Amino acid sequence: MMKLFTRKKSKDTDSVQSSTGASATAGPGAQSVSGGSTVFRVTVPENVSPGEEFQVYAGTRIVRVKCPADSRPGQSLQITVPADPNGSSGPAPPRQPNLPPDSPNVRRITDPNNRGNHAAYMVTIPEGVRGNQQFPVTIQGQQLMVTCPQNARPGMSVRIVPPPPPQGTDINRGPEGPMGVGPGPDRPPKDDKTQLFEVAVPPGVQPGQPFALLAGGVRVLVTCPANASAGQRIRFKLPLAITQKPKVTNEAAQIKLSYDKDGWQRTIRVSDMKFQWVRVDDKGDIDLNKRFDVEKSAYVRKLEFRPGDDPRIRTGILSLVPATDAVVDSKIKSADNRDLVTYSDIASAQVKAFEEKAQWFQDTCAQLCVEWNEGHMRMNVRRQFLLGDSVDAVMSLSRKDLRKLWRFEFIGEMGIDAGGLAREWFQLVTEEIFDPDMGLWQSSAANQMCMEINPASEFCCEDHLVYYRFLGRVMGKALFDRQLVAGHMVQHLYKHILGWPVTFSDLEMVDEEYYNNLKQLETMAKDGDDISMLCLDFTTTQEVIGTKEEIELVKDGANIEVTNENFPEYLEACLKYRMLDRVKPQLNELLLGFFDVIPEPLLTIFDFQELELLMCGLPEIDMDDWKEHTEYSGEYDETGGDHQACEWFWEVVTDFDQEMKARLLQFVTGTSGVPSRGFGVLQGNDGNIRKFTIHGVALGVCLYPRAHTCFNRIDLPMYDNKDELSEKLKLAVTMVATGFDIE
């Protein structure tokens, strides 16, 4: 169970806290800045026991805080301090007509201490509500969430003073302007018109079984009704917006549409309008094979959210399920329950150019940003304790706080955050947490420029899971605020964030030696060799800090012998362990933190290559440096770059825009990152220099360029003309993001 993070304070930290208390300008932490109240982070002083009170400075005032029963000295607490009362007393504003009635557990009171113009109310705590839990009430037409005090219980009454609704804005209305600082342009009302379709149930389809079809040029997933059978005609409705194909402006999307083939595709499910992955063959039929197949099977991470003990910290259950079992919503609701984003919006954005996709994403995030007049966050950190202070601050925030505007201050330094301090903070924090010396991440064995989660992080870093949750929140906030992350991750982690299928071929990008060993076993099984003679079982060996440990891939795996009959299940278990189970606790927290900020449907417009570019930025590529540090082998060994096909290659690549050049790097090296010292120090999976290599092959060997990311090598067929080379290269580079082969 995830708990609210508390960090052991150093002596320097204690002295600052004890002298400044909750001072927002002197002490580290996150402070909520708003008109009605202010949230402060305070530290329980030494020698204070649970239940005892202590004094701290909150802004310019001294307040008394009662130490909770489960807290101890050195632990950070969050307190909410009302604004200084001012102004004269007066009657509350008259009740507006046509408002819903107040909740039955609400009673208005006359409070002589309330010197403002806001009415006070006594609210009875409902049954089943415990300390620190929230419950809804309706007052003066406003839907409010009330937090039950720690020492209160059902039946007791608490006093609240509801804030007035923003002028001219509903209390629950989401922000509509850029970064939540003013209303944006009115969105046109969503078109609810539908179109009726009639189709015959295909042969072989049983009741309750799904089948795919093209409706208005869009592939949709339909479930055969329980009372229907093959050949019978059924009807269903689709929103008109779905059947109106958007204009394709992205060259990569045009290539994918032009070269459609069997493979994994994300389609819309008619029954509930959710996205679902399906695998279709060249006839358009769905592959319903349930048993693991090396060439066809794929799996998608599934994250089920659960409420946590602290309302700010959700928990979740992470698993790897067959790709067909993974679904995601195709719409996003605003704070006042309007459809902020629908399927038609997502479908239109999916075929845009990368820069246009990014702009649409940021415009939508601006709609979700909390308005400035509802509060913003002041993040105070000390440079010498940057990571610790940042973890304290970010982990104290609610999900709503994460979508507020953040203003940064490095304590003791002059400077006003107009964007520069935020960029520096994101850069420094992510650099430090991705540093292998921290023990949370390690360089990938397959690509030294990419970082992977350290399976042994719990032995390297105290409270390691808190840091992964923190990093997830920082990564999500960076996307939300147009900031960049200083760390390239291995490819399958971007797929996990997106909820994209991972296949057996993805293992090669994780551990090439392990992948080749399994492929050899597969060849033996296909040739009819008796695998049981190898004396394998459903276990694997993991080395942790020099000690080897046997891990069961399935329950009681040590007692299950690998045979030709259960070999597919063995490969499936190996794939699941290496792609998820080995780092499941860490990845679970990373994803929970990320989705504390970003709604998952927003990510459905990107592929995993685009997500890396969005998070890490488009690289600055020096074409002269790239050409100078390229090696040639195979059919190009003797002629080198003077071969006609190589000259065409560089002419085509030079004409690529920045996005396509980055995609080519991702295709060949596994990441869009360029070494800081240039292509001359590009590394392979063994840590040695492996320069970008163009390997010449005959057209009979392969029709399309192939990549070997472990060696930073591209196999380039000797094409007869430049146009064919350009077409095949673009196709290979863009189709790799679909998750299936193009051969």
Side-chain angles (χ1 to χ4, degrees):
M1 185 68 70
M2 186 69 181
K3 295 183 179 180
L4 192 62
F5 178 65
T6 56
R7 183 171 55 90
K8 292 182 178 179
K9 307 291 182 181
S10 64
K11 292 182 178 180
D12 293 324
T13 307
D14 288 335
S15 63
V16 170
Q17 289 288 350
S18 61
S19 62
T20 61
S23 175
T25 58
Q31 175 189 344
S32 178
V33 182
S34 61
S37 60
T38 305
V39 177
F40 293 89
R41 296 290 296 172
V42 301
T43 300
V44 180
E46 296 292 337
N47 302 321
V48 172
S49 303
E52 293 183 351
E53 291 187 342
F54 58 96
Q55 292 188 162
V56 294
Y57 280 98
T60 59
R61 290 182 291 165
I62 298 178
V63 297
R64 296 190 65 81
V65 180
K66 185 175 182 180
C67 180
D70 57 350
S71 298
R72 61 188 183 278
Q75 183 171 345
S76 295
L77 305 176
Q78 177 172 299
I79 64 171
T80 301
V81 180
D84 284 324
N86 55 71
S88 57
S89 60
R95 183 182 178 87
Q96 301 179 24
N98 302 321
L99 291 178
D102 292 347
S103 299
N105 59 331
V106 171
R107 175 172 55 89
R108 182 173 174 175
I109 61 174
T110 301
D111 188 353
N113 296 321
N114 181 18
R115 299 169 56 189
N117 294 323
H118 311 315
Y121 294 83
M122 297 299 294
V123 178
T124 303
I125 300 173
E127 292 293 331
V129 175
R130 296 176 299 173
N132 290 330
Q133 288 186 338
Q134 292 187 322
F135 59 92
V137 295
T138 300
I139 299 176
Q140 291 286 308
Q142 301 180 56
Q143 178 84 24
L144 305 174
M145 296 300 295
V146 179
T147 300
C148 176
Q150 177 72 32
N151 57 352
R153 60 182 184 275
M156 295 179 63
S157 294
V158 295
R159 173 185 171 277
I160 67 170
V161 179
Q167 185 65 33
T169 305
D170 188 274
I171 190 69
N172 289 318
R173 186 180 180 190
E176 293 185 325
M179 301 307 295
V181 290
D186 292 334
R187 290 201 172 202
K190 299 298 179 183
D191 191 355
D192 295 329
K193 294 181 180 179
T194 59
Q195 183 175 353
L196 182 66
F197 292 87
E198 184 176 292
V199 63
V201 179
V205 175
Q206 303 295 323
Q209 183 176 318
F211 61 93
L213 54 87
L214 291 175
V218 178
R219 190 176 298 278
V220 296
L221 194 65
V222 180
T223 301
C224 179
N227 58 351
S229 58
Q232 187 173 341
R233 303 192 72 81
I234 61 174
R235 293 181 176 182
F236 62 92
K237 291 182 178 180
L238 286 177
L240 196 59
I242 289 183
T243 61
Q244 296 174 344
K245 278 192 171 182
K247 181 181 179 182
V248 179
T249 60
N250 183 3
E251 183 180 20
Q254 288 177 330
I255 294 173
K256 292 177 185 179
L257 293 174
S258 301
Y259 289 86
D260 192 17
K261 66 183 290 295
D262 65 317
W264 288 100
Q265 300 177 9
R266 180 173 260 162
T267 185
I268 195 74
R269 197 164 64 182
V270 174
S271 58
D272 55 8
M273 300 307 296
K274 291 186 177 182
F275 287 117
Q276 178 176 339
W277 290 100
V278 296
R279 190 183 190 280
V280 296
D281 56 26
D282 53 357
K283 298 179 181 179
D285 297 328
I286 297 179
D287 184 358
L288 297 175
N289 181 33
K290 296 295 185 182
R291 198 173 191 195
F292 180 77
D293 186 294
V294 169
E295 303 297 332
K296 298 179 180 180
S297 295
Y299 296 85
V300 174
R301 62 98 186 127
K302 181 180 180 181
L303 182 60
E304 301 178 66
F305 295 102
R306 297 287 188 271
D309 291 338
D310 189 294
R312 293 165 293 176
I313 306 294
R314 291 185 297 184
T315 61
I317 301 174
L318 182 65
S319 58
L320 202 61
V321 300
T324 52
D325 294 344
V327 297
V328 62
D329 286 329
S330 63
K331 62 173 58 177
I332 299 173
K333 295 285 188 180
S334 65
D336 57 353
N337 209 34
R338 293 180 295 112
D339 284 343
L340 187 63
V341 173
T342 65
Y343 169 84
S344 59
D345 299 322
I346 293 175
S348 297
Q350 283 175 338
V351 295
K352 293 179 182 291
F354 173 70
E355 292 295 338
E356 294 176 319
K357 281 185 181 181
Q359 187 59 52
W360 180 87
F361 177 85
Q362 297 299 341
D363 290 344
T364 307
C365 286
Q367 301 286 324
L368 295 168
C369 186
V370 177
E371 292 185 13
W372 179 269
N373 59 9
E374 290 189 43
H376 60 280
M377 303 306 302
R378 183 179 297 155
M379 311 293 284
N380 303 300
V381 294
R382 296 166 297 173
R383 193 176 292 274
Q384 66 270 35
F385 302 108
L386 179 64
L387 185 58
D389 286 352
S390 298
V391 172
D392 276 343
V394 173
M395 292 303 293
S396 72
L397 304 180
S398 67
R399 294 196 298 278
K400 181 178 180 180
D401 291 334
L402 293 171
R403 291 184 180 176
K404 291 179 179 178
L405 190 62
W406 291 5
R407 286 286 181 256
F408 288 88
E409 177 183 339
F410 287 91
I411 297 174
E413 300 180 14
M414 297 295 293
I416 298 175
D417 186 10
L421 294 182
R423 284 192 297 273
E424 183 183 10
W425 181 84
F426 279 103
Q427 175 76 17
L428 294 176
V429 163
T430 52
E431 276 182 353
E432 185 170 350
I433 206 165
F434 274 115
D435 188 341
D437 292 340
M438 182 83 180
L440 300 172
W441 295 82
Q442 61 188 16
S443 296
S444 168
N447 189 328
Q448 295 293 307
M449 286 192 60
C450 293
M451 306 303 296
E452 64 180 8
I453 295 173
N454 181 7
S457 61
E458 64 178 310
F459 302 105
C460 304
C461 182
E462 187 180 3
D463 293 323
H464 69 124
L465 294 182
V466 175
Y467 285 95
Y468 288 107
R469 174 70 72 98
F470 164 76
L471 178 59
R473 287 184 161 196
V474 170
M475 290 165 55
K477 183 62 174 174
L479 275 184
F480 199 80
D481 285 357
R482 308 181 188 220
Q483 301 291 346
L484 298 178
V485 173
H488 294 264
M489 299 184 295
V490 289
Q491 195 174 87
H492 70 276
L493 288 183
Y494 293 109
K495 290 187 175 183
H496 283 325
I497 292 175
L498 292 175
W500 271 56
V502 292
T503 62
F504 187 76
S505 61
D506 284 309
L507 267 180
E508 186 176 13
M509 299 282 290
V510 177
D511 190 331
E512 186 188 22
E513 182 181 359
Y514 185 70
Y515 170 80
N516 288 334
N517 290 339
L518 293 179
K519 290 291 285 186
Q520 289 179 358
L521 292 177
E522 182 198 15
T523 301
M524 293 175 58
K526 286 183 177 179
D527 292 342
D529 296 337
D530 187 1
I531 293 185
S532 63
M533 299 295 292
L534 300 175
C535 299
L536 298 174
D537 54 30
F538 278 68
T539 64
T540 189
T541 302
Q542 175 176 294
E543 184 172 335
V544 179
I545 314 182
T547 303
K548 291 187 176 181
E549 178 184 4
E550 185 179 86
I551 304 294
E552 291 190 334
L553 299 174
V554 297
K555 185 177 181 180
D556 199 29
N559 297 318
I560 302 177
E561 183 184 20
V562 178
T563 65
N564 290 56
E565 288 72 27
N566 64 15
F567 183 65
E569 285 69 34
Y570 174 72
L571 291 180
E572 179 184 31
C574 291
L575 174 66
K576 287 186 173 181
Y577 174 74
R578 294 306 293 261
M579 302 306 289
L580 179 73
D581 291 344
R582 189 169 63 148
V583 292
K584 181 187 288 187
Q586 297 94 321
L587 182 57
N588 186 51
E589 295 302 324
L590 186 77
L591 293 175
L592 285 170
F594 187 88
F595 292 121
D596 278 345
V597 188
I598 303 293
E600 187 173 1
L602 272 188
L603 299 175
T604 56
I605 68 171
F606 299 112
D607 59 43
F608 60 86
Q609 291 178 332
E610 291 170 331
L611 182 61
E612 182 185 13
L613 297 179
L614 195 65
M615 294 177 65
C616 302
L618 287 169
E620 294 293 334
I621 298 175
D622 185 335
M623 288 301 302
D624 293 333
D625 180 60
W626 194 352
K627 292 180 185 179
E628 180 183 350
H629 294 100
T630 293
E631 296 179 346
Y632 301 87
S633 61
E635 298 292 339
Y636 305 140
D637 187 28
E638 295 183 1
T639 59
D642 294 331
H643 193 283
Q644 184 64 71
C646 295
E647 292 181 353
W648 287 336
F649 173 84
W650 289 117
E651 289 174 6
V652 170
V653 173
T654 301
D655 290 338
F656 278 172
D657 60 19
Q658 198 175 10
E659 177 198 347
M660 285 296 289
K661 289 175 183 175
R663 282 181 178 269
L664 175 60
L665 271 181
Q666 291 173 318
F667 176 63
V668 180
T669 69
T671 177
S672 64
V674 179
S676 58
R677 291 185 289 157
F679 285 90
V681 293
L682 200 61
Q683 291 182 328
N685 64 339
D686 55 1
N688 296 320
I689 300 297
R690 295 276 187 175
K691 292 186 178 182
F692 187 89
T693 303
I694 301 178
H695 183 79
V697 296
L699 269 174
V701 176
C702 61
L703 296 176
Y704 298 91
R706 296 183 305 194
H708 302 272
T709 56
C710 298
F711 312 111
N712 300 325
R713 192 183 89 190
I714 181 172
D715 292 347
L716 184 68
M718 294 185 293
Y719 294 110
D720 296 328
N721 57 76
K722 179 180 175 180
D723 290 340
E724 184 182 10
L725 185 150
S726 176
E727 179 188 16
K728 294 297 194 297
L729 181 62
K730 288 180 180 178
L731 176 61
V733 169
T734 55
M735 289 295 279
V736 68
T738 61
F740 52 85
D741 198 4
I742 61 176
E743 291 289 350

